[in-house]
Amino acid sequence: MANVDFNEYPLSQSQAIVWNDMDALQHINNTVYFRYFEDVRVVMLEELKVFDFVKSHNIGPVVASTRCDFRAPLVYPDTITTVSWVENIQEKRYTMKYEIHSHSQQRCVAEGEALVVYCDFSTGKSCPIPADALEGLQAFVGGQ
């Protein structure tokens, strides 16, 4: 991590990890990594004003699938920086990529991705990404 420039990523968020997120094996529970992914994803959705659009149009993104490759355990206390970017934008979906970097370990401790699909919540079916969101997503394309 010593040579990682977080400014090279379209999205980054630093946060302290929480003692309460450790499990009986004294490391941060694996499910919590998905919350870290969600935290940075929500930052992007807020910037794109997606939540306002969902309220007025009943159309928005859902995570269709997600995965995480764990590289090293996290242990309290530590601070992490989660970086993210968008890839493979298509008519109804896009992929978000993630990396979680431990400050104390000075390395990437997890990598993951999510397939995000736009959904018309009135019908329960996928739908095209709205034009404003599609245009806004371009600002988040990139990463390593």
Side-chain angles (χ1 to χ4, degrees):
M1 185 178 102
N3 59 357
V4 175
D5 181 2
F6 297 127
N7 293 321
E8 292 182 11
Y9 295 89
L11 286 163
S12 68
Q13 179 178 348
S14 295
Q15 63 193 85
I17 61 172
V18 179
W19 178 85
N20 194 39
D21 287 338
M22 286 195 301
D23 60 21
L25 299 176
Q26 297 301 301
H27 62 269
I28 300 300
N29 187 281
N30 293 351
T31 62
V32 175
Y33 290 68
F34 292 99
R35 190 171 351 124
Y36 299 148
F37 294 165
E38 178 184 54
D39 290 343
V40 76
R41 185 171 59 249
V42 167
V43 168
M44 183 186 79
L45 296 176
E46 287 176 341
E47 287 186 31
L48 293 175
K49 300 187 181 352
V50 168
F51 299 115
D52 293 334
F53 191 86
V54 171
K55 287 179 188 173
S56 61
H57 294 86
N58 213 27
I59 292 172
V62 295
V63 174
S65 66
T66 189
R67 69 172 187 78
C68 183
D69 295 325
F70 303 98
R71 305 291 183 218
L74 281 170
V75 178
Y76 177 88
D78 198 352
T79 298
I80 59 166
T81 297
T82 305
V83 296
S84 184
W85 63 96
V86 172
E87 293 183 350
N88 195 26
I89 300 173
Q90 297 182 25
E91 179 190 12
K92 298 180 179 183
R93 65 184 186 185
Y94 58 91
T95 301
M96 287 197 75
K97 298 284 193 163
Y98 310 99
E99 293 178 357
I100 300 172
H101 296 265
S102 162
H103 291 211
S104 68
Q105 296 179 51
Q106 294 289 298
R107 65 176 172 160
C108 178
V109 296
E111 297 173 300
E113 68 179 32
L115 175 63
V116 180
V117 177
Y118 261 74
C119 182
D120 181 333
F121 299 120
S122 300
T123 65
K125 297 186 185 267
S126 65
C127 67
I129 300 171
D132 287 347
L134 193 59
E135 183 179 328
L137 282 172
Q138 297 302 320
F140 300 100
V141 173
Q144 296 294 315

